[in-house]
Amino acid sequence: MTSLTRRIRRTAAVAVALAAGSALTVTGTATAQPGQHSGKASGSTVESAPLVKGLYQSAYSERNHVLWATSSVGRPPVTNSSLLKVDPRTLKVKASYTPPTTDAGTGAVEAVYGVAVDDEHNTVWTTNTRDNSVAVYDQRTGKHLASLPGVNHAREVVVDTRHNLAWASSFGDGTVVAFDTRTFKEKKRVTVEGSSPAGLAVNERTGATYAADLAGDQIIEITPKSESPRLIPTGDGPISVALSKDGRTAYTADQAAGGLSVVDLAKGTVTKSVATGAGALSVATDRRSGRVLVANRTPGNVTVVDPVKGAVVETLTTGANPNHVGVAGGTAYVVDKSGTGPEGQDQAHRIRLGR
């Protein structure tokens, strides 16, 4: 197979009407790297649409076939924040829910940033970074169910449906906190002095939870039976973490290094380091293919990595400042902070991943 670089472009617009008169457009460019096979189904495509200003993260609900997204604008007092219910096919906002007010005088609300879904209990969990808390919402109605304090600069949240736990990273004090997804009560709190836990991943089979420690260049592993966390070295500035389908390998998006680290969890060693792009910020695994996606903030793209070969196989142009990537059923969802919509909105992107 030739090693020449192949470009797969889609230029046609998809005629789907969206809010504010905007349209879902096919904007992405997939660039195959040298050595990639060129079968008809090898290329990925990117479809994009403006949503609102201040997008941060998204999470897909298989139970409801909904994409939940968070938005918050500005610095405290934050008065413009919403939890969005998005149609994953059209990227149209179906509903928008405003978090509860925290200060009537300023109009400040409990602004939402990180997000995860619990399809077992039909809820949505958010991190409220400015308020040092996490919150729970009803997926069906959007009703705010609870605010749970004590998570200092809460950054991300992940749900372990099998063990009825929601784990949140307390970035400000080096702590990872678990809450019962049925009662909302705190169940476990693990602190690693000097650490800055950011992104989270959970192995629902074993109950092990993994946190990317931005300050310590390591992964914090918390298992149900261990009395203390295990610290596993990874790349420079890990800010996000994902797991392979079998749970034996971890992948970190290394912000400082601008790349991906492939970590053998049994051996506790980095087996491969792959350059993906400056400001690597978020990582997700496509369990269908085994490939790994990294959102790179500075170049405004998502790279698709073959972790076995340790090589980038596609580079997908999204929008400026991609902030988060997630994968569900062979489709990736990315939100950016580009501000390029007709009214200054940030964008959501749906990537149909090639094989």
Side-chain angles (χ1 to χ4, degrees):
M1 183 61 61
T2 178
S3 62
L4 295 177
T5 301
R6 304 179 187 275
R7 295 184 182 273
I8 306 151
R9 296 184 183 271
R10 293 277 305 274
T11 57
V14 178
V16 180
L18 291 189
S22 60
L24 181 68
T25 57
V26 185
T27 59
T29 300
T31 305
Q33 300 301 308
Q36 181 185 341
H37 295 292
S38 59
K40 292 182 180 179
S42 64
S44 303
T45 58
V46 185
E47 298 168 314
S48 308
L51 288 188
V52 297
K53 296 179 181 179
L55 288 176
Y56 273 88
Q57 291 191 2
S58 69
Y60 176 76
S61 166
E62 182 177 2
R63 174 173 178 167
N64 299 292
H65 191 47
V66 164
L67 185 69
W68 291 94
T70 55
S71 72
S72 293
V73 179
R75 297 184 178 276
V78 177
T79 59
N80 182 0
S81 180
S82 57
L83 178 63
L84 305 173
K85 194 178 203 177
V86 179
D87 186 321
R89 295 163 297 183
T90 64
L91 300 183
K92 179 178 180 178
V93 177
K94 300 174 67 175
S96 178
Y97 305 105
T98 302
T101 300
T102 57
D103 188 326
T106 63
V109 297
E110 190 181 75
V112 293
Y113 295 89
V115 64
V117 298
D118 177 7
D119 277 346
E120 179 68 22
H121 301 99
N122 213 18
T123 55
V124 183
W125 289 69
T126 67
T127 58
N128 315 313
T129 307
R130 306 290 187 183
D131 293 282
N132 300 317
S133 67
V134 297
V136 192
Y137 294 80
D138 185 289
Q139 280 205 64
R140 186 176 60 85
T141 65
K143 180 182 178 181
H144 176 269
L145 301 177
S147 294
L148 312 175
V151 189
N152 192 342
H153 198 89
R155 191 181 192 280
E156 292 200 17
V157 60
V158 65
V159 173
D160 180 350
T161 55
R162 183 172 180 178
H163 297 92
N164 295 304
L165 292 174
W167 292 87
S169 54
S170 186
F171 183 84
D173 59 9
T175 300
V176 181
V177 187
F179 297 93
D180 189 307
T181 53
R182 298 161 298 184
T183 65
F184 308 153
K185 293 182 178 179
E186 184 177 317
K187 297 289 289 185
K188 191 169 186 176
R189 180 175 289 261
V190 177
T191 300
V192 176
E193 294 296 335
S195 71
S196 297
L200 297 169
V202 65
N203 184 331
E204 292 198 34
R205 181 178 60 82
T206 65
T209 301
Y210 300 87
D213 177 10
L214 182 65
D217 294 344
Q218 61 191 359
I219 298 170
I220 301 170
E221 179 189 65
I222 303 168
T223 61
K225 296 182 180 179
S226 63
E227 295 184 1
S228 59
R230 176 187 176 213
L231 305 179
I232 305 170
T234 188
D236 189 5
I239 194 167
S240 181
V241 61
L243 300 177
S244 60
K245 184 176 181 179
D246 63 12
R248 298 176 181 175
T249 306
Y251 310 106
T252 57
D254 304 327
Q255 188 176 49
L260 173 79
S261 289
V262 180
V263 182
D264 184 315
L265 292 173
K267 296 179 179 179
T269 59
V270 175
T271 60
K272 292 181 176 64
S273 298
V274 184
T276 61
L281 189 60
S282 181
V283 63
T285 305
D286 177 12
R287 296 196 169 192
R288 182 192 61 169
S289 67
R291 291 177 175 176
V292 183
L293 282 73
V294 181
N296 306 294
R297 191 174 176 88
T298 302
N301 61 32
V302 169
T303 48
V304 182
V305 176
D306 182 329
V308 177
K309 296 179 179 179
V312 174
V313 296
E314 277 189 305
T315 299
L316 306 166
T317 301
T318 53
N321 305 315
N323 209 60
H324 184 261
V325 59
V327 180
T331 299
Y333 298 96
V334 179
V335 293
D336 70 29
K337 298 183 73 64
S338 63
T340 55
E343 298 176 3
Q345 306 102 313
D346 296 330
Q347 299 182 102
H349 310 271
R350 183 180 65 202
I351 302 174
R352 298 179 184 275
L353 296 171
R355 290 181 181 269

